[in-house]
Amino acid sequence: MESKPTYEQAQLHLQVYDLRREARLRQARDWFQKNYVVEAFDDAMRIAAPGTETGAFAGMVIGYWEQACALLNYGLLHEDLFFETSGEFFGVWESLKPVVPQFRERFADKNLLANLERAAQRYEAWSERRSPGHIAAMRGFMQQQRAQRKSGSSA
């Protein structure tokens, strides 16, 4: 997008941001970032099983970003503004990406998390145009963090 955000888009953007500040969602986002390291459907069920607090945390984070990305994909949020200020969704997508095909198959829903996926694909292209190498560096950092979490190291 080469246009400026409209007043309405800016207002909705601030509302979406304000929801991120809700205490329980902040707690869920913190847990997700530190603990949601999955490579298979069974990992996801072990780490964040339905009916558990961690399952609720995962659902809150995933649901929040899927909804925010739906607003973006429908043009209700300004793409440049969203991408400039909301990179967290891309990290959530990267954490989910290994298991999304299994979730889609298991739940017979080829569109499961499609809003998050589409937004992440556009963000990757947008980011590469603006800062070539940023996505690769971010993925490398995330991979290093996951490896440290798996090994139990905090360094």
Side-chain angles (χ1 to χ4, degrees):
M1 273 186 193
E2 294 185 19
S3 65
K4 288 184 176 181
T6 65
Y7 178 81
E8 291 80 11
Q9 286 173 318
Q11 288 299 309
L12 182 56
H13 187 85
L14 290 172
Q15 290 174 334
V16 167
Y17 178 78
D18 198 40
L19 291 172
R20 270 174 70 184
R21 297 173 55 227
E22 190 275 326
R24 186 87 168 135
L25 182 55
R26 273 195 153 169
Q27 184 181 10
R29 289 171 48 228
D30 184 53
W31 174 87
F32 190 93
Q33 183 181 20
K34 291 177 182 173
N35 299 289
Y36 200 85
V37 180
V38 299
E39 295 175 18
F41 182 85
D42 291 340
D43 295 337
M45 291 300 103
R46 181 179 41 78
I47 292 170
T52 66
E53 182 177 44
T54 57
F57 283 169
M60 288 174 74
V61 171
I62 294 165
Y64 171 81
W65 284 117
E66 177 68 6
Q67 289 179 41
C69 289
L71 294 172
L72 175 71
N73 293 339
Y74 278 98
L76 298 170
L77 293 171
H78 188 272
E79 187 166 283
D80 286 334
L81 181 60
F82 185 83
F83 288 166
E84 287 173 6
T85 61
S86 304
E88 180 183 338
F89 79 96
F90 186 76
V92 170
W93 171 252
E94 287 291 302
S95 295
L96 293 168
K97 191 165 53 171
V99 296
V100 167
Q102 295 169 38
F103 271 85
R104 288 175 176 166
E105 184 179 324
R106 180 71 60 110
F107 298 113
D109 184 354
K110 65 182 180 180
N111 295 307
L112 187 72
L113 301 176
N115 285 298
L116 188 54
E117 180 178 27
R118 280 193 298 273
Q121 290 168 343
R122 288 200 324 276
Y123 176 77
E124 187 169 352
W126 177 90
S127 185
E128 278 304 307
R129 284 190 305 273
R130 292 175 52 115
S131 294
H134 169 70
I135 296 295
M138 190 166 38
R139 282 184 174 133
F141 176 78
M142 291 172 66
Q143 188 174 27
Q144 182 182 32
Q145 293 296 306
R146 280 189 211 108
Q148 287 176 352
R149 281 183 239 135
K150 274 187 165 182
S151 71
S153 169
S154 62

